[in-house]
């Protein structure tokens, strides 16, 4: 599961994803944690054809049945295998409310030394990540305030040579039963299919990225100390 990432600056997001220039400052913190505001890209809701739009919302999807926007349970990550059945995600998934979450880097914990050593993940080619997600819009019945929100999708990574090394292992479970998780890095050529494809067309994109895509390694000691 991913619980911390750094988004690109708004100008880079607009350039890389060919979005209209808004000339606005970043409306999110430098590092994004669950329940903080962050940027995501979706198919433009009011467009006649296919267009993309940049939206800022809470990292932690607010489902339709929520009583308040700050949930008492985590929804910043969603298991892709549960999207069609889990109450929090099945309606956005069925309606095709998929989004792309831009990230310059994301961080994962490595416990191979017996203690947590944070690793930072970049793309080896220097481009930003486009991570697969779902979005939802929730309206507060008491105030009428509209809240945008999103979740980051994950897949099983037990067999992946890199991502299986992340997160604290469960000693009572076999190596192939750990259910280690990974975010889903979309390739640039798949962005449109993810945003405008059918459910069946997008299921094939929910997969691990090749190891050579990653530029990953332990964070510097000073960075470790600040976390």
């Amino acid at each position: 599961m991913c619980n911390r990432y750094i988004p690109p600056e708004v100008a880079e997001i607009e350039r890389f994803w060919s979005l209209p220039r808004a000339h606005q400052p970043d409306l999110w913190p430098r590092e994004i944690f669950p329940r903080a505001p962050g940027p995501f890209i979706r198919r433009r809701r009011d467009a006649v054809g296919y267009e993309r739009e940049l939206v800022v919302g809470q990292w932690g999807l607010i489902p339709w049945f929520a009583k308040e926007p700050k949930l008492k349970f985590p929804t910043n990550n969603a298991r892709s295998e549960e999207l069609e059945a889990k109450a929090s995600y099945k309606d956005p998934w069925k309606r095709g409310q998929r989004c792309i979450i831009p990230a310059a880097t994301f961080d994962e914990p490595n416990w191979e030394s017996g203690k947590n050593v944070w690793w930072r993940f970049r793309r080896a080619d220097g481009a930003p990540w486009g991570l697969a997600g779902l979005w939802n819009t929730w309206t507060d019945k008491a105030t009428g305030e509209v809240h945008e929100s999103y979740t980051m999708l994950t897949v099983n990574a037990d067999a992946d040579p890199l991502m299986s090394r992340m997160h604290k292992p469960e000693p009572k479970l076999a190596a192939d039963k750990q259910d280690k998780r990974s975010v889903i890095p979309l390739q640039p050529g798949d962005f449109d299919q993810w945003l405008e494809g059918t459910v069946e067309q997008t299921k094939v994109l929910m997969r691990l990225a090749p190891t050579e895509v990653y530029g990953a390694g332990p964070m510097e000691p000073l960075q470790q100390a600040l976390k």
Side-chain angles (χ1 to χ4, degrees):
M1 300 291 186
C2 179
N3 286 305
R4 186 175 73 210
Y5 72 97
I6 296 176
E9 293 184 356
V10 65
E12 183 178 6
I13 295 174
E14 291 171 342
R15 176 190 59 76
F16 189 78
W17 275 277
S18 301
L19 299 169
R21 291 299 303 274
H23 300 287
Q24 63 182 18
D26 294 357
L27 300 176
W28 49 83
R30 179 179 179 275
E31 285 189 295
I32 299 183
F33 295 85
R35 299 183 178 87
F40 63 92
I41 299 159
R42 69 184 174 197
R43 184 171 181 173
R44 190 174 184 88
R45 300 179 68 186
D46 59 358
V48 176
Y50 169 68
E51 296 179 29
R52 302 170 181 171
E53 66 175 348
L54 179 63
V55 184
V56 178
Q58 174 182 283
W59 185 25
L61 187 140
I62 309 170
W64 64 271
F65 56 81
K67 303 299 184 184
E68 56 186 4
K70 299 296 183 182
L71 304 176
K72 295 180 174 61
F73 53 93
T75 56
N76 56 296
N77 292 151
R79 284 176 164 82
S80 58
E81 303 92 331
E82 300 176 347
L83 297 178
E84 294 179 334
K86 199 157 189 177
S88 296
Y89 311 119
K90 65 180 182 180
D91 286 345
W93 173 249
K94 181 173 59 179
R95 291 194 292 260
Q97 292 174 199
R98 298 177 296 272
C99 65
I100 298 170
I101 303 163
T105 64
F106 63 89
D107 300 338
E108 300 286 6
N110 180 295
W111 284 81
E112 292 173 328
S113 66
K115 62 180 181 180
N116 179 18
V117 176
W118 284 103
W119 279 41
R120 179 151 287 177
F121 290 76
R122 295 178 171 82
R123 279 190 62 103
D125 60 8
W129 295 107
L131 306 178
L134 283 182
W135 64 269
N136 198 38
T137 300
W138 178 84
T139 302
D140 189 322
K141 294 180 180 179
T143 66
E145 184 178 3
V146 176
H147 294 260
E148 299 283 4
S149 62
Y150 63 100
T151 186
M152 195 177 288
L153 305 188
T154 68
V155 290
N156 181 276
D158 285 346
D160 188 81
L162 176 60
M163 301 308 294
S164 64
R165 298 172 57 192
M166 303 301 120
H167 300 281
K168 192 173 185 178
E170 172 52 61
K172 296 181 180 180
L173 298 178
D176 61 345
K177 301 295 183 182
Q178 292 285 321
D179 196 24
K180 295 292 188 73
R181 309 299 298 181
S182 171
V183 296
I184 304 174
L186 299 167
Q187 297 304 311
D190 295 331
F191 290 159
D192 289 339
Q193 183 173 330
W194 179 251
L195 292 180
E196 67 171 341
T198 65
V199 167
E200 293 305 317
Q201 288 172 335
T202 53
K203 281 183 178 180
V204 301
L205 303 180
M206 293 194 293
R207 57 182 180 240
L208 295 162
T211 304
E212 59 268 21
V213 171
Y214 295 96
M219 295 171 62
E220 296 296 328
L222 178 59
Q223 295 174 311
Q224 296 279 353
L226 294 174
K227 301 304 176 186

